[in-house]
């Protein structure tokens, strides 16, 4: 999470990351703008864990919206990540990343 969970221009110091990876478990981390020191604490809860193909979690302390990371079983030879975000009454939006 320290390497991947922040937009360009921010850092996530490793010491700010806490993960309890189980259904109902929580995660926290703090993104920081290095130049100003401004911080953005983030927390969420894991809702569904199906290793190694699916991880559903909230990107905040509430139960909505839900983000889902999926690794299709037929992509073991390469990196393929599908990210879907659901906001309750709004339709889900998905992005697929491949390497």
């Amino acid at each position: 999470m320290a390497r991947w969970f922040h937009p360009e221009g921010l850092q996530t110091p490793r010491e700010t990351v806490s993960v309890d990876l189980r259904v109902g478990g929580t995660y926290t981390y703090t993104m920081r703008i290095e130049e100003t020191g401004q911080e953005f604490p983030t927390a969420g809860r894991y809702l569904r864990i199906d290793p190694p193909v699916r991880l559903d979690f909230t990107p905040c302390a509430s139960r909505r919206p839900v983000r889902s990371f999926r690794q299709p079983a037929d992509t073991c030879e390469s990196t393929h990540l599908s990210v879907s975000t659901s906001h309750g009454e709004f339709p889900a939006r998905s992005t697929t990343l491949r390497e």
Side-chain angles (χ1 to χ4, degrees):
M1 291 177 85
R3 288 180 61 192
W4 302 319
F5 277 51
H6 55 263
E8 192 172 320
L10 278 76
Q11 299 295 319
T12 301
R14 186 177 293 268
E15 66 271 10
T16 70
V17 177
S18 173
V19 175
D20 180 11
L21 188 58
R22 63 185 172 85
V23 173
T26 60
Y27 67 87
T28 62
Y29 60 91
T30 300
M31 297 178 288
R32 182 179 301 142
I33 300 174
E34 289 299 321
E35 294 79 27
T36 66
Q38 185 177 3
E39 294 187 337
F40 304 91
T42 304
R45 184 170 308 280
Y46 296 105
L47 304 176
R48 179 177 172 178
I49 302 170
D50 184 13
V53 297
R54 185 171 179 161
L55 179 63
D56 292 358
F57 60 96
T58 63
C60 54
S62 70
R63 293 191 60 85
R64 285 202 172 111
V66 173
R67 291 209 174 121
S68 180
F69 288 171
R70 295 182 187 183
Q71 171 73 31
D74 63 344
T75 60
C76 294
E77 308 250 339
S78 65
T79 302
H80 177 109
L81 177 65
S82 179
V83 180
S84 177
T85 302
S86 173
H87 292 272
E89 69 274 11
F90 300 105
R93 297 189 68 179
S94 295
T95 302
T96 300
L97 308 170
R98 296 177 192 215
E99 182 177 298

